[in-house]
Amino acid sequence: MLDDEQTSKTEAAYRLLRRDILATRLAPAAPLKLSTLRNTYGIGWTPLREALSRLEAERLVTAISNRGFAVAPVSRAELEDLARARLVVELPLLVESIEEGDREWEDAVVAAHYRLSRCGSVLDDPSDDAVDAWYEKHDAFHAALLSAATSSWLQQFNATISDQLHRHHRFLGLAPTLRAAAGRTDGHRKAVAALRDAVAIEHHTALMEAALDRDVERAKTLMTAHIGYTLQVYAQSEPGADAAQPRPKRKRRS
C-alpha cells in the first residue's frame, strides 16, 4: 500500500494531469512521456504512473502497447455519441430536480445564473484563464439546476459525460472558432455565429425561468436545444462549412 506521502503525490499528479487534459492543454492523442511529464510537473515516476492508470480508467488516457500512454483522442462521432448520452442522463435529472427542488434550490439556481451572467464572453476574451472561468461558471449553473435530483448514479454518469464533452467542445469546436474570431484563420463565419449563440446568457435565462416556473416540458425542450447548440459550433467549424471564396483564375501561360 502507498504511504500517506506517496498517496498525496499521486493525488496531486492525478489532479494536475486531469485538469490539463480536460482543458486540452494536453491535446487529444498527444503522447504522455513520463520524462517530459516529470520535468513539466516536477513529480516523480511512481506518482505519475499511478495517476495515468487512474486517468486510463476514466477513459481520459489510453495505454499504447509498448509505447506508454497518450491522451485519449476525440472525434466527431464520439462528440455526437456523448451529446446523445447527455440527453439520456441529464433530462431525467432535470425533471427530478424541478420536481424535488425547494426554496434553497431556487436560490442556488438564481445565484449561479447571476454569476454566469457576470462572466465575460469567451469571444471577447479567448485567453485560457477567461475560457476556464466561463466554463467554471457555466458548469456551476448546470450543476445548480440538477442539484435537487436524488439519483446518485445518474449524477455520476452525468459528471463523466460532462468531462468528456469538455475536451471535445474545446478541441473540436471552441479552439478553432476562437482562432477564426481572432482573425488568425479564414472562414468560420457561421461557426463564430454559432458559438456566440451557444454561450449567450439568454438561453440560460430561459432555462432558469422554466425550471423555477416548474414547467417540466418547456425546460426539457430548452435543455434539448441547449445541448444541440454546441454540436452546431463544431458542425460549422469543420473545413468547408463556410462557403469557399472563389479563387481568381490563373492566367494561362503563353
Side-chain angles (χ1 to χ4, degrees):
M1 293 180 64
L2 295 173
D3 59 28
D4 290 344
E5 183 180 358
Q6 192 66 44
T7 300
S8 177
K9 289 179 179 178
T10 297
E11 184 66 22
Y14 165 77
R15 291 183 180 278
L16 287 170
L17 291 171
R18 194 175 193 277
R19 178 201 65 190
D20 287 350
I21 288 172
L22 293 181
T24 67
R25 286 186 276 273
L26 291 171
L32 295 169
K33 297 181 179 179
L34 289 175
S35 58
T36 302
L37 295 176
R38 188 171 183 236
N39 291 332
T40 300
Y41 295 99
I43 297 172
W45 304 107
T46 300
L48 283 172
R49 289 192 185 94
E50 293 288 339
L52 289 169
S53 294
R54 285 178 62 181
L55 292 166
E56 182 189 9
E58 295 181 13
R59 298 180 65 178
L60 293 172
V61 163
T62 57
I64 305 171
S65 179
N66 299 320
R67 294 174 57 190
F69 294 93
V71 180
V74 297
S75 68
R76 175 172 186 164
E78 189 165 358
L79 173 61
E80 292 173 344
D81 191 27
L82 286 165
R84 288 193 297 270
R86 183 182 174 188
L87 283 171
V88 170
V89 171
E90 192 161 336
L91 290 184
L93 282 172
L94 178 63
V95 171
E96 189 175 87
S97 196
I98 290 172
E99 292 174 346
E100 300 294 332
D102 55 14
R103 178 61 183 271
E104 185 177 346
W105 168 76
E106 292 180 352
D107 290 344
V109 171
V110 172
H113 174 270
Y114 174 77
R115 287 190 288 269
L116 178 61
S117 72
R118 303 297 295 173
C119 192
S121 169
V122 294
L123 282 163
D124 298 327
D125 184 357
S127 67
D128 282 347
D129 287 345
V131 172
D132 288 345
W134 186 87
Y135 267 113
E136 180 185 348
K137 302 298 190 300
H138 181 260
D139 289 352
F141 171 71
H142 281 272
L145 276 177
L146 307 180
S147 63
T150 59
S151 174
S152 59
W153 276 107
L154 284 178
Q155 292 280 20
Q156 183 175 331
F157 294 148
N158 188 61
T160 299
I161 292 166
S162 178
D163 286 343
Q164 291 288 355
L165 277 170
H166 271 239
R167 297 192 317 120
H168 283 71
H169 289 161
R170 289 185 77 147
F171 193 78
L172 295 176
L174 184 63
T177 302
L178 289 177
R179 286 195 296 270
R184 292 196 291 271
T185 59
D186 294 329
H188 290 323
R189 294 184 302 276
K190 293 180 180 178
V192 173
L195 178 59
R196 193 176 300 280
D197 195 33
V199 302
I201 192 62
E202 288 79 10
H203 303 305
H204 301 86
T205 302
L207 188 53
M208 176 189 69
E209 291 173 347
L212 296 180
D213 290 343
R214 313 294 170 143
D215 190 333
V216 168
E217 292 307 314
R218 182 158 60 98
K220 287 169 61 178
T221 298
L222 289 168
M223 182 64 80
T224 300
H226 183 71
I227 292 171
Y229 292 138
T230 52
L231 288 176
Q232 279 301 310
V233 176
Y234 171 69
Q236 298 298 342
S237 69
E238 287 186 296
D242 270 344
Q245 295 295 322
R247 296 181 179 179
K249 294 182 179 180
R250 288 185 175 181
K251 295 181 180 180
R252 291 185 178 181
R253 294 180 180 177
S254 54

